[in-house]
């Protein structure tokens, strides 16, 4: 019997045809090989539409070598493509729409604002959302700063902690604000204290050329002065059911208002960090349970709203009282956080689960729901 075939859809990083996660894919191919799943890697640029064939990147676990082979379209596609400003990305959009009828384990989600609005329709999720507005004018900024001492300004389509400002109204002043953050290229800006009118000008400038969210800031500063949050990964398992894979803490770099690993953050075990933060084992367990339930329900809800998903990472902010807030959800998560926090069994689980799910889907001939909305 022929083996089921899974194609990992990705994008080249540059014209040298380098791939960002090639070593991750190698591991997935090796694991797939053990499980009876034939896995190859391809990008939209490797698809020959008239031939209906793919000039795929294949890895041979026996020789340890990558090579190119002409392959038929796979039975299932695991889409790892993240948004990028390039012709390659436009080509991807054309691929997704032309081959919409193929079986995708996961469909693209929408931008942070649309996801926020979708969640906020449900009281179940609304309680876990920081108050958020789409920035239109200074009035939005001032409205939020009246209600919250700290706000975050972030791009609706941002990733990796880029283009994020943290604005704090200084205590004991009516209108002096502290601004810190990272530019779109992730460089840390020089922190400064500014008047309200200066702030309005800076924010107006910051938001040129894109849509930005103004969001209630959740207090996440550790006693070390660094900011932290939690990354939770939920995935569909080998029975097609959502399951928690793991959760890790992320501690930002010094002088960084974001905790992303790519911005110099480091990963720690969630239980340890959370226990230090909340002060007791009981509270930690309770919050972890609540977070798990939230993550699983959020994934199922987003899948219903936007189309098939096989995994979802949630960036969770947990305040000192143990209230949980969803800062963002990520349908194409890196798994490095588990390797970096020293949790190698969770890391492995994170790699293997999408393969187990693909096998389950193939055996059950289930077709996950197709995209429910058009991409912007
Ligand atoms: N509302 C907020 N309150 C506190 N910290 C935040 C808030 N929003 C973002 N952050 C910090 O900035 C980081 C990046 O924000 P996020 O919304 O996850 O965007 P990105 O897509 O760039 O990762 C978060 O991991 C967190 O450290
Ligand atoms: Mg994030």
């Amino acid at each position: 019997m022929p083996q089921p075939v899974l194609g990992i859809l990705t994008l080249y990083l540059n014209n040298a045809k380098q791939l960002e996660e090639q070593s991750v894919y190698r591991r997935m191919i090796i694991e797939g090989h053990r499980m009876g799943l034939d896995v190859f890697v391809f990008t939209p640029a490797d698809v020959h539409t008239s031939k209906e064939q793919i000039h795929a990147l294949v890895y041979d676990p026996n020789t340890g070598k990558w090579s190119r082979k002409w392959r038929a379209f796979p039975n299932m596609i695991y889409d790892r493509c993240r948004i990028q400003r390039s012709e390659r990305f436009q080509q991807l959009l054309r691929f997704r729409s032309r081959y919409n009828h193929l079986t995708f384990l996961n469909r693209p989600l929408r931008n942070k604002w649309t996801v926020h609005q979708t969640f906020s329709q449900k009281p179940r999720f609304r309680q876990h959302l920081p108050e958020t507005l789409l920035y239109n004018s200074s009035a939005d900024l001032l409205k939020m700063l009246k209600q919250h001492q700290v706000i975050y300004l972030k791009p609706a389509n941002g990733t990796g902690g880029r283009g994020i400002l943290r604005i704090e109204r200084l205590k004991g002043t009516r209108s002096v604000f502290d601004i810190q953050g990272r530019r779109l290229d992730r460089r840390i800006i020089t922190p400064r204290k500014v008047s309200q009118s200066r702030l309005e000008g800076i924010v107006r400038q910051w938001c040129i050329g894109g849509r930005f969210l103004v969001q209630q800031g959740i207090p996440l500063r550790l006693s070390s002065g660094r900011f932290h949050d939690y990354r939770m990964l939920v995935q569909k398992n080998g029975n097609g059911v959502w399951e928690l894979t793991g959760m890790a803490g992320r501690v930002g770099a010094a002088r960084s208002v974001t905790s992303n690993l790519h911005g110099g953050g480091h990963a720690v075990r969630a239980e340890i960090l959370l226990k230090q933060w909340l002060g007791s084992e009981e509270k930690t367990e309770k919050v972890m349970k609540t977070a798990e339930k939230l993550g699983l329900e959020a994934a199922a809800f987003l899948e219903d709203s936007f189309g098939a998903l096989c995994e979802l990472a949630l960036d969770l902010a947990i305040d000192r009282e143990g209230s949980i807030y969803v800062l963002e959800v990520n349908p194409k998560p890196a798994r490095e956080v588990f390797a970096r926090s020293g949790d190698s069994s969770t890391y492995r689980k994170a790699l293997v689960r999408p393969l187990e799910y693909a096998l389950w889907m193939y055996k059950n001939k289930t077709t996950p729901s197709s995209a429910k909305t058009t991409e912007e």
Side-chain angles (χ1 to χ4, degrees):
M1 219 176 67
Q3 282 195 345
V5 183
L6 178 71
I8 300 178
L9 174 62
T10 182
L11 289 173
Y12 293 123
L13 280 176
N14 45 36
N15 294 333
K17 297 202 166 178
Q18 278 173 314
L19 295 177
E20 191 178 2
E21 293 195 297
Q22 193 153 351
S23 62
V24 175
Y25 303 148
R26 178 167 46 81
R27 269 197 79 167
M28 293 184 95
I29 291 170
I30 295 169
E31 298 285 357
H33 189 73
R34 285 198 193 120
M35 296 160 52
L37 181 69
D38 177 1
V39 184
F40 67 72
V41 178
F42 72 108
T43 79
D46 307 322
V47 177
H48 284 243
T49 13
S50 45
K51 270 195 189 172
E52 291 268 312
Q53 289 240 315
I54 297 174
H55 204 206
L57 269 163
V58 298
Y59 177 81
D60 183 344
N62 298 318
T63 62
K65 291 219 169 76
W66 285 96
S67 61
R68 291 268 174 194
K69 282 215 169 80
W70 284 103
R71 300 287 311 256
F73 279 84
N75 303 105
M76 294 156 291
I77 295 176
Y78 177 43
D79 186 342
R80 293 292 301 160
C81 303
R82 304 198 185 109
I83 196 160
Q84 52 167 253
R85 265 171 215 238
S86 67
E87 174 45 35
R88 288 185 291 274
F89 193 77
Q90 296 310 312
Q91 199 176 20
L92 167 72
L93 295 184
R94 292 193 291 274
F95 175 85
R96 281 183 185 151
S97 98
R98 178 170 190 146
Y99 295 104
N100 187 37
H101 58 280
L102 297 180
T103 304
F104 285 77
L105 299 191
N106 55 334
R107 299 286 181 174
L109 264 190
R110 299 285 298 282
N111 68 75
K112 289 185 169 76
W113 177 238
T114 308
V115 169
H116 176 87
Q117 284 177 304
T118 306
F119 271 140
S120 54
Q121 290 161 10
K122 300 271 171 203
R124 160 74 182 104
F125 300 115
R126 212 179 298 143
Q127 53 175 325
H128 294 290
L129 299 177
E131 194 185 338
T132 307
L133 293 179
L134 185 65
Y135 174 85
N136 281 310
S137 72
S138 291
D140 300 313
L141 178 72
L142 300 179
K143 180 166 175 247
M144 288 292 279
L145 278 167
K146 226 181 222 154
Q147 292 167 38
H148 306 286
Q149 198 185 342
V150 176
I151 60 158
Y152 272 72
L153 187 69
K154 53 189 183 188
N157 273 317
T159 54
R162 293 183 184 83
I164 296 188
L165 273 190
R166 176 184 185 275
I167 304 166
E168 176 173 1
R169 182 167 35 79
L170 292 178
K171 281 208 172 106
T173 71
R174 280 244 309 281
S175 51
V176 182
F177 300 88
D178 173 77
I179 0 184
Q180 300 181 51
R182 288 177 180 267
R183 294 182 200 288
L184 285 174
D185 62 6
R186 247 200 234 117
R187 262 186 312 153
I188 292 184
I189 63 164
T190 315
R192 46 203 141 141
K193 300 199 181 352
V194 296
S195 65
Q196 183 180 306
S197 62
R198 182 89 185 91
L199 173 71
E200 289 176 34
I202 291 171
V203 168
R204 212 174 292 129
Q205 273 282 321
W206 196 265
C207 297
I208 287 175
R211 297 201 298 165
F212 280 74
L213 310 185
V214 198
Q215 187 166 77
Q216 166 190 3
I218 311 301
L220 300 173
R221 207 195 301 253
L222 299 168
S223 55
S224 64
R226 294 179 187 235
F227 291 95
H228 82 296
D229 66 4
Y230 299 87
R231 179 42 87 93
M232 168 182 280
L233 179 63
V234 293
Q235 295 177 299
K236 291 249 187 98
N237 63 18
N239 295 315
V241 176
W242 285 106
E243 193 175 327
L244 174 71
T245 304
M247 185 162 146
R250 300 186 300 185
V251 178
R255 291 184 298 281
S256 169
V257 297
T258 59
S259 60
N260 305 62
L261 300 187
H262 282 301
H266 65 270
V268 279
R269 294 206 174 227
E271 318 78 70
I272 296 173
L273 187 61
L274 194 56
K275 190 173 159 235
Q276 283 168 4
W277 180 242
L278 298 177
S280 86
E281 192 105 26
E282 290 106 275
K283 277 191 203 159
T284 304
E285 265 176 35
K286 201 168 150 230
V287 169
M288 297 269 269
K289 283 241 159 65
T290 310
E292 173 174 356
K293 196 158 172 283
L294 172 64
L296 297 174
E297 290 179 28
F301 173 67
L302 291 182
E303 181 169 39
D304 265 358
S305 309
F306 296 111
L309 285 177
C310 62
E311 55 190 351
L312 189 74
L314 296 96
D315 289 348
L316 299 178
I318 301 176
D319 69 15
R320 271 238 130 100
E321 275 68 60
S323 300
I324 305 168
Y325 297 90
V326 180
L327 297 182
E328 98 154 314
V329 296
N330 194 327
K332 315 277 171 61
R335 295 128 227 279
E336 261 30 63
V337 68
F338 299 113
R340 294 232 229 148
S341 68
D343 192 353
S344 55
S345 69
T346 301
Y347 180 67
R348 179 165 179 275
K349 224 192 304 176
L351 287 183
V352 170
R353 279 224 167 124
L355 308 173
E356 293 172 339
Y357 173 58
L359 276 181
W360 175 84
M361 216 164 74
Y362 184 79
K363 283 192 191 119
N364 289 275
K365 301 273 178 261
T366 338
T367 313
S369 45
S370 56
K372 295 201 171 152
T373 51
T374 46
E375 288 184 69
E376 57 239 53

